[in-house]
Amino acid sequence: MASIGRVLLNIFLITFAFHGKNDSATQDGGACGRYLVANSGSFASPNFPHQYPSNAQCTWYIRVGINQRIMLNFTELHMEVSPRCSHDYIIIYDGPSINSALIATTCTGSNNIFVSSSSSMTVYFRSDSNETRRGFSAYYYSLPSHHSEGASCGGYLVDDSGSFASPNYPQQYPINSQCTWYIRVGINQRIKLNITDLQMVTGASCKFNHVEIYNGPSMNSALIAKICSESERIFISSSNSMTVHFTTDFSLSNQGFSANYNSMSHGATCGGYLVGHSETFASPNYPHQYPNNAQCAWYIRVDSNQCIRLDITEIQAAKKTLLRRQLLNPNCYLPCL
């Protein structure tokens, strides 16, 4: 009889610190709507980062160049939450006016990504006469309508799957390069990044030429890995965003790297990197049967002054199934209670 493999684990940090962002006004000072015609920019609710007024109605009309699309990211979003966002809300339209096709209505969450199908997007904000909150801040960038990142130096990748490579790949990359790729997929998705080829000039600690993978929307996010030679090839984010940064120095160069990525749902992965304050993960296909011949490794990283508590909340496996745990920081003597 086939056994049902159910391994669900919780990781709790005993000591941790939260670092909040400093409040600061956006470039437009929190104006109530306007036309935005640059290829990139930012805007915010009235009075941001302070409370927005009651009964506000603001519309931002975003226009970029022909044959471009618009990627909109809400970096902060603190509004009165209600069923179906019926009180205070933001509506994003896929076109030049509020009569265009609806992309989404939102009133909660942050780092939400929305992409237009053309060179125009309209954002409408409304508040009612009741409670007010801090509001929102957002930024946007233009994207080519049809593009390949294969030979470019960085860019925004917003499809559910895609590929990219170092400049000039498979030829030698240029010296003194700094390239950053920002990967975004759908809400409630994760990103699986596969480095398919890696040929770089190596050095101690990958100091001079390297690829850095960050677990979030920017280079300020937690670092997953810094690589320059044969090592782990697959990296998995804990959210719907990942940032990849490529650096070369002024001396020798090599063939570089190529990579592809795809989105995947939470709880269905076979291994990955976990760098948050607390996370859950499970065997592939949980709570259904795990596949035969599976080998999965989860790499849990915390700060050097922290330790990890690992709780196995459920396990149903065949007798020959091996579950191995290894403490990553054996010098950590903090009481994990």
Side-chain angles (χ1 to χ4, degrees):
M1 178 182 296
S3 60
I4 303 295
R6 299 184 177 181
V7 182
L8 182 62
L9 306 100
N10 292 282
I11 302 98
F12 300 95
L13 297 186
I14 302 307
T15 61
F16 55 88
F18 295 95
H19 301 281
K21 295 181 179 179
N22 293 328
D23 291 346
S24 60
T26 57
Q27 292 177 358
D28 72 349
C32 185
R34 63 171 180 156
Y35 283 86
L36 301 168
V37 295
N39 285 331
S40 64
S42 62
F43 59 99
S45 53
N47 301 329
F48 182 86
H50 306 293
Q51 289 186 324
Y52 52 78
S54 300
N55 299 314
Q57 295 189 54
C58 311
T59 307
W60 289 266
Y61 302 92
I62 306 174
R63 304 292 186 274
V64 295
I66 299 173
N67 297 324
Q68 300 284 306
R69 295 187 298 168
I70 299 166
M71 188 199 75
L72 175 68
N73 182 12
F74 286 93
T75 53
E76 290 195 46
L77 185 55
H78 306 280
M79 299 174 62
E80 180 186 2
V81 180
S82 59
R84 298 183 180 180
C85 297
S86 58
H87 295 302
D88 298 1
Y89 54 83
I90 300 167
I91 304 177
I92 301 99
Y93 295 95
D94 190 21
S97 73
I98 59 174
N99 295 319
S100 303
L102 176 68
I103 294 178
T105 300
T106 185
C107 61
T108 185
S110 61
N111 284 321
N112 293 333
I113 304 292
F114 305 98
V115 180
S116 69
S117 61
S118 67
S119 61
S120 61
M121 176 184 282
T122 304
V123 180
Y124 176 73
F125 166 69
R126 178 165 184 164
S127 64
D128 65 6
S129 59
N130 297 320
E131 300 178 17
T132 62
R133 295 287 189 273
R134 176 184 173 95
F136 73 88
S137 64
Y139 69 86
Y140 73 92
Y141 287 88
S142 62
L143 299 168
S145 294
H146 303 286
H147 65 288
S148 172
E149 297 291 347
S152 65
C153 183
Y156 284 83
L157 303 170
V158 296
D159 295 322
D160 287 336
S161 63
S163 63
F164 58 100
S166 52
N168 301 331
Y169 181 87
Q171 309 300 321
Q172 288 189 330
Y173 52 77
I175 61 174
N176 293 323
S177 294
Q178 296 276 343
C179 309
T180 307
W181 291 267
Y182 302 92
I183 308 173
R184 306 290 187 274
V185 295
I187 299 172
N188 298 323
Q189 297 288 305
R190 302 170 74 184
I191 298 166
K192 180 179 180 181
L193 175 69
N194 182 17
I195 306 295
T196 55
D197 189 22
L198 184 62
Q199 307 289 332
M200 299 179 65
V201 177
T202 60
S205 303
C206 298
K207 182 178 180 180
F208 303 108
N209 298 262
H210 55 259
V211 177
E212 294 169 309
I213 300 106
Y214 294 91
N215 189 35
S218 73
M219 292 176 60
N220 294 322
S221 305
L223 179 67
I224 294 177
K226 180 179 179 180
I227 60 174
C228 62
S229 61
E230 296 293 333
S231 61
E232 297 99 349
R233 290 296 190 93
I234 295 179
F235 306 94
I236 299 175
S237 68
S238 61
S239 68
N240 69 328
S241 61
M242 177 183 281
T243 303
V244 180
H245 183 68
F246 172 64
T247 300
T248 69
D249 67 359
F250 59 87
S251 59
L252 301 175
S253 66
N254 206 330
Q255 182 172 316
F257 77 92
S258 63
N260 60 58
Y261 75 92
N262 61 276
S263 63
M264 54 199 319
S265 60
H266 283 267
T269 61
C270 182
Y273 283 80
L274 303 173
V275 294
H277 291 294
S278 64
E279 297 277 359
T280 63
F281 59 99
S283 55
N285 301 328
Y286 178 87
H288 306 293
Q289 288 184 328
Y290 53 76
N292 293 324
N293 300 314
Q295 295 189 45
C296 308
W298 288 267
Y299 301 92
I300 306 168
R301 300 289 188 269
V302 297
D303 293 337
S304 59
N305 64 337
Q306 297 175 329
C307 60
I308 300 167
R309 173 173 171 169
L310 180 66
D311 289 342
I312 302 175
T313 57
E314 185 175 4
I315 179 168
Q316 296 185 28
K319 291 183 179 179
K320 293 183 179 181
T321 300
L322 172 65
L323 175 65
R324 182 170 60 188
R325 298 177 296 174
Q326 182 177 3
L327 184 63
L328 297 179
N329 187 359
N331 297 318
C332 180
Y333 298 107
L334 296 176
C336 294
L337 302 177

